[in-house]
Amino acid sequence: MDTFTKTTSTSWFQRLGQSLAGILIGIVLVLGSIVLLFWNEGRTVKTARALEEGAGIVQTIDPKGDLVAANGKLVHFTGTFESEGIAADAEFPGIAAPEGSAALVRTVEMYQWRETQKSETRTKLGGGEETVTTYTYEKVWSDNAIDSSRFEKPEGHANPPMPYESRTFEVTGGTVGSIELGPDAFGGLGASKTLPPTPDMLSAIEAVTGSGQRVVLENGKVSIRRGDTDEIGALRIGYSVRTIGDISAVGRLDGGLLTAYTASNGNAILLAEDGTASAQQMFDTAISGNALIAWVLRLVGFIAMLIGFNLVFSVIGVAGDIIPLVGSLLRFATGIVAFALAAFGSLLVIGIAWFWYRPVLSLALIGGGIVIALVAMRFAKSRATSKAAAVAA
């Protein structure tokens, strides 16, 4: 591990120019958040309606029984999954999951340099800034390639390209009774279990990596390096398998093949989970998941709008930084205003979207946004007044 410290100074005019450029980025973020929030409400409502429709027409069938009557309909079934084919590593011929496995998962890690940084910024009288940044470099095992060309000090910390990546190899299909399922239906399902390395696995990897590399079995993984000790560029590869037992699924039965069912509004329904679950339980889970995604995207939209408004108003704080205390006061006030606008704007967009898709709740959301904005503005005004009084005293 080694460190490198860099001190940079930014004049008040440079900061002012940067903040003016930030206004454009802020506007883009605000507009992007509006699009995201509006789209998210439409997606949420359409998905909810499709799931409600599906829950009302789904039929539970016996996957081992006569499927003719259920052809073309939305069906639900449970049963034991039987995989078809063998999950094998396409890059290392000879390495495959045991028969009956649904997937072979390869995990690759490389020994690399990693850069971390810590900065301390001080605003000086006159509006300039001085930033002291400490860069720390350490060697770590990582399953993601770290681009050393972006390091502040790439000299002596170069990472080679990662020759192999983590991948999942799934079987081409499977069956539950007489019903066929594709990877889009069972992908990701099943319990994971480590696949211990074997001499045959080592030989298969050694045949691909070629000469000049030492391929050894260590700590349950295959290590690939040039010397006896780990060095930058060394690799270690591990495998695990996923095995699927009983599963429950919902979808359209198309000649014995389970496919996605298209609801009347165009949304697709294809559900699958491990274990035994009723149709109602599966739809309840899907509805809850849809609501969770909606709230996550609402939060993302609000945060993007908040950052956008803060960037738009940042020029005010920078202008006041000629006297640092004044800049802090202005930055606090504009931060409250940005929060108020982001809260009001997010709820307004959501309210308009709900008015577009579901008008019943839209007025309540818009009203809530107005109340939050008024309370936040009043709080900001009182705080700013009290701080100004303290400065004057």
Side-chain angles (χ1 to χ4, degrees):
M1 179 185 297
D2 61 272
T3 60
F4 167 69
T5 301
K6 181 179 180 180
T7 301
T8 57
S9 296
T10 307
S11 70
W12 180 76
F13 287 105
Q14 289 176 317
R15 293 184 61 216
L16 197 62
Q18 292 170 356
S19 62
L20 289 173
I23 292 176
L24 297 177
I25 300 175
I27 292 173
V28 171
L29 276 174
V30 171
L31 294 177
S33 66
I34 291 173
V35 173
L36 172 64
L37 289 168
F38 195 90
W39 169 84
N40 179 49
E41 297 309 313
R43 180 208 63 80
T44 302
V45 171
K46 289 180 179 179
T47 302
R49 286 176 175 170
L51 292 173
E52 290 171 4
E53 176 185 327
I57 62 174
V58 65
Q59 300 179 9
T60 298
I61 63 172
D62 180 1
K64 296 181 180 179
D66 186 4
L67 305 178
V68 176
N71 189 53
K73 298 180 179 178
L74 181 64
V75 300
H76 159 264
F77 58 87
T78 62
T80 302
F81 179 84
E82 300 289 342
S83 62
E84 295 179 343
I86 301 295
D89 191 328
E91 293 181 276
F92 295 106
I95 298 180
E99 187 175 353
S101 302
L104 174 69
V105 181
R106 181 182 73 200
T107 303
V108 181
E109 297 173 288
M110 187 169 78
Y111 202 50
Q112 308 173 69
W113 283 107
R114 181 177 66 189
E115 177 190 79
T116 57
Q117 61 184 73
K118 181 180 179 181
S119 298
E120 294 183 3
T121 301
R122 182 175 64 90
T123 303
K124 301 182 294 183
L125 186 64
E129 276 187 348
E130 183 179 79
T131 302
V132 178
T133 305
T134 300
Y135 299 90
T136 302
Y137 300 90
E138 59 181 336
K139 298 176 181 180
V140 297
W141 286 101
S142 174
D143 56 1
N144 293 313
I146 301 174
D147 185 2
S148 58
S149 66
R150 297 178 179 272
F151 289 173
E152 183 66 27
K153 189 179 179 181
E155 300 82 9
H157 307 111
N159 290 326
M162 202 164 180
Y164 311 105
E165 297 179 351
S166 299
R167 287 188 59 185
T168 297
F169 306 91
E170 293 181 319
V171 294
T172 56
T175 60
V176 176
S178 302
I179 300 177
E180 296 183 12
L181 288 77
D184 55 340
F186 64 80
L189 297 182
S192 181
K193 181 181 179 181
T194 299
L195 185 65
T198 63
D200 290 341
M201 186 183 296
L202 186 147
S203 299
I205 293 176
E206 195 170 24
V208 175
T209 57
S211 60
Q213 300 277 6
R214 293 190 67 240
V215 183
V216 295
L217 300 178
E218 289 182 340
N219 302 319
K221 293 184 178 181
V222 178
S223 294
I224 306 172
R225 57 177 182 251
R226 292 189 177 276
D228 294 328
T229 59
D230 293 328
E231 58 187 14
I232 296 299
L235 300 172
R236 57 188 187 193
I237 301 177
Y239 286 91
S240 61
V241 294
R242 286 207 316 265
T243 304
I244 301 176
D246 289 341
I247 69 169
S248 302
V250 171
R252 180 179 184 270
L253 195 60
D254 186 6
L257 174 66
L258 187 71
T259 61
Y261 176 85
T262 303
S264 58
N265 64 2
N267 275 41
I269 300 175
L270 182 61
L271 310 175
E273 60 183 70
D274 290 298
T276 301
S278 67
Q280 187 61 53
Q281 288 173 327
M282 295 189 69
F283 276 100
D284 287 344
T285 300
I287 291 170
S288 298
N290 180 47
L292 178 61
I293 293 173
W295 280 107
V296 169
L297 291 178
R298 285 167 186 159
L299 179 60
V300 170
F302 166 74
I303 292 174
M305 189 175 291
L306 177 61
I307 294 173
F309 279 125
N310 272 312
L311 286 173
V312 170
F313 296 140
S314 64
V315 67
I316 299 174
V318 172
D321 275 340
I322 293 180
I323 302 176
L325 183 60
V326 174
S328 298
L329 178 63
L330 291 173
R331 196 168 287 108
F332 174 80
T334 55
I336 296 296
V337 173
F339 178 85
L341 288 176
F344 171 71
S346 298
L347 290 175
L348 178 62
V349 172
I350 293 172
I352 292 173
W354 274 82
F355 187 78
W356 183 266
Y357 295 105
R358 284 185 179 177
V360 178
L361 296 180
S362 62
L363 294 178
L365 288 170
I366 294 173
I370 294 174
V371 170
I372 290 176
L374 290 176
V375 171
M377 294 289 283
R378 184 180 294 274
F379 175 74
K381 183 178 179 180
S382 64
R383 292 283 294 182
T385 302
S386 62
K387 281 201 171 189
V391 172

